[in-house]
């Protein structure tokens, strides 16, 4: 996986299975409803380098929208995202709704800034993000819940006269591509193209034999990592896991209550972690841990190690990288330069390798 702007290599991206419920994610004139909006398909080059981006030209009735209805899980958290490019209007608004219940988010396509969120009825907005791509493209992401036990959910995109404004801009233009609606998702995963049906991406699974590659009783682990998530997650994310499906230990993982400024160790007895680290959501970070005797240690960014009790043995059937050894609990982020030693690196050296 490569950074879309710098093109720097970030490593293997480990993601769980996700589904894009929106049909025709690259053709907004098919399976979509355009209200007071003209859709010119394949009008320019999209972020993937193909001529599949659509130009949206709004009218002057003040009712413009490009929208699609999906069937989703009631009262779940939804992540919606789309790639958008400035035309002649600075702000675009994304909305997810069922009647009077909705959540909104505003995005500045001139300056690449995520703006305000707003809700109505039983709607809840939990996150808004924007990420720059080459050639003036931005990926706009909005996360929230509609509530009200609704399963028929509408996703729509419109222009906005300003941040937090619901007033459209007459004759507004913008380019869109790669629309995505992920059910029961606290953050957007990488883009999943669709045509006539929803598409599910398989989970990424990477495992290695334990024998000859690691020791259950003494060792050290290093990795350079980043995350797609920037807030508390809904399930544990595994960076490096040991053992089998039935019994797991986690030399490096993020618990379900965690955030990307911390990382934990779990030998199967008493978990502990390092906190206050540089966020893994804002760039590639160096992380390392060691274990042996009765002590384990963890660090990142070259800071002082955090130590905890080690029960003397990690389980030792298999090694999972970016997932548990049975292929679940994906990291949802990038991983590169993973190193496993069958010796306990001293604390000072552990710090040094993460600078």
């Amino acid at each position: 996986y490569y950074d879309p702007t710098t093109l720097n290599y970030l490593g293997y991206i480990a993601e769980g299975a996700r589904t894009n419920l929106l049909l025709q994610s690259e053709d907004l004139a098919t399976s979509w409803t355009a209200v007071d909006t003209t859709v010119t398909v394949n009008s320019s080059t999209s972020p993937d380098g193909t001529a599949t981006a659509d130009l949206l030209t709004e009218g002057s009735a003040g009712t413009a929208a490009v929208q699609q209805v999906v069937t989703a899980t009631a009262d779940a958290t939804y992540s919606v995202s789309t790639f958008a490019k400035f035309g002649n209007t600075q702000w675009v608004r994304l909305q997810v709704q069922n009647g009077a219940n909705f959540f909104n988010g505003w995005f500045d396509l001139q300056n690449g800034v995520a703006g305000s969120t707003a809700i109505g009825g039983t709607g809840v907005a939990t996150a808004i993000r924007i990420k720059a791509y080459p050639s003036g493209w931005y990926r706009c992401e909005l996360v929230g819940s509609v509530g009200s036990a609704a399963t028929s959910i509408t996703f729509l995109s419109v222009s906005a006269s300003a941040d937090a404004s619901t007033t459209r801009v007459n004759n507004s233009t913008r380019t869109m591509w790669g629309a995505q609606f992920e059910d029961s998702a606290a953050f957007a995963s990488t883009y999943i193209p669709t045509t006539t049906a929803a598409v599910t991406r398989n989970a990424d699974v990477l495992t290695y034999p334990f024998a000859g590659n690691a020791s259950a009783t003494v060792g050290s682990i290093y990795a350079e990592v980043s995350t797609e998530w920037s807030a508390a997650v809904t399930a544990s994310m595994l960076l490096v896991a040991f053992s089998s499906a039935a019994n797991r230990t986690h030399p490096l993982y993020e618990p379900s209550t965690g955030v990307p400024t911390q990382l934990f160790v779990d030998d199967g007895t008493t978990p502990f972690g390092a906190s206050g680290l540089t966020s893994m959501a804002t760039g590639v970070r160096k992380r390392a841990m060691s274990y042996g005797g009765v002590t384990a240690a963890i660090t990142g960014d070259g800071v002082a190690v955090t130590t905890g009790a080690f029960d003397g043995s990690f389980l030792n059937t298999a090694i999972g990288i970016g997932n548990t050894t049975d292929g679940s609990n994906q990291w949802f982020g990038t991983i590169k330069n993973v190193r496993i030693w069958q010796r306990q690196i001293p604390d000072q050296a552990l710090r040094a390798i993460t600078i």
Side-chain angles (χ1 to χ4, degrees), residues 41-353:
V41 299
N42 301 337
S43 69
S44 61
T45 304
S46 67
D48 73 350
T50 60
T52 52
D54 296 349
L55 175 67
L56 306 183
T57 305
E58 297 185 356
S60 56
T63 59
V66 175
Q67 60 192 45
Q68 186 176 146
V69 180
V70 302
T71 300
T73 304
D75 300 330
T77 296
Y78 312 128
S79 172
V80 297
S81 56
T82 188
F83 293 85
K85 186 174 182 178
F86 174 75
N88 64 12
T89 304
Q90 180 176 0
W91 290 92
V92 63
R93 172 169 60 97
L94 302 184
Q95 179 166 306
V96 181
Q97 68 177 58
N98 175 273
N101 306 300
F102 63 84
F103 59 96
N104 282 337
W106 283 262
F107 302 85
D108 180 346
L109 299 183
Q110 274 189 304
N111 301 299
V113 176
S116 303
T117 60
I119 61 173
T122 56
V124 176
T126 56
I128 184 170
R129 306 179 186 95
I130 192 168
K131 184 174 184 178
Y133 279 70
S135 303
W137 283 99
Y138 294 98
R139 193 183 191 198
C140 306
E141 176 192 354
L142 181 64
V143 181
S145 174
V146 168
S148 73
T151 57
S152 179
I153 310 297
T154 300
F155 166 75
L156 61 87
S157 168
V158 302
S159 67
S161 61
D163 184 20
S165 172
T166 56
T167 301
R168 277 78 159 172
V169 177
N170 290 345
N171 306 310
S172 168
T173 63
R174 67 187 179 281
T175 309
M176 283 184 57
W177 178 86
Q180 187 152 300
F181 187 116
E182 298 177 76
D183 193 357
S184 303
F187 53 90
S189 66
T190 53
Y191 171 54
I192 306 168
T194 67
T195 53
T196 58
V199 173
T200 299
R201 179 190 56 238
N202 291 334
D204 297 303
V205 178
L206 179 60
T207 61
Y208 291 90
F210 194 94
N213 289 318
S215 165
T217 57
V218 59
S220 304
I221 302 172
Y222 168 90
E224 297 171 20
V225 299
S226 70
T227 65
E228 294 177 332
W229 37 276
S230 59
V233 294
T234 56
S236 294
M237 310 293 198
L238 274 295
L239 178 54
V240 178
F242 286 167
S243 76
S244 65
N247 297 289
R248 308 170 184 167
T249 50
H250 309 147
L252 287 171
Y253 81 106
E254 189 69 32
S256 59
T257 56
V259 292
T261 55
Q262 62 184 20
L263 202 59
F264 279 73
V265 175
D266 184 2
D267 60 8
T269 302
T270 306
F272 73 95
S275 59
L277 303 173
T278 306
S279 175
M280 296 178 287
T282 57
V284 175
R285 310 300 176 198
K286 298 177 180 180
R287 302 290 182 258
M289 64 84 62
S290 67
Y291 58 96
V294 295
T295 304
I298 185 170
T299 187
D301 311 320
V303 303
V305 302
T306 299
T307 59
F310 177 50
D311 65 11
S313 180
F314 279 108
L315 298 172
N316 57 3
T317 302
I319 302 170
I321 306 295
N323 47 260
T324 54
T325 52
D326 64 345
S328 62
N329 295 82
Q330 274 69 22
W331 177 249
F332 277 99
T334 65
I335 307 169
K336 69 177 181 178
N337 292 340
V338 177
R339 305 174 192 183
I340 298 177
W341 294 272
Q342 297 186 48
R343 61 185 178 88
Q344 188 174 16
I345 294 177
D347 289 355
Q348 191 59 36
L350 203 67
R351 294 177 61 183
I353 63 175

Side-chain angles (χ1 to χ4, degrees), residues 25-44:
S25 61
E26 299 174 11
D27 182 357
L28 303 183
T30 306
S31 297
W32 295 77
T33 300
V35 180
D36 191 34
T37 302
T38 299
V39 179
T40 306
V41 299
N42 301 337
S43 69
S44 61

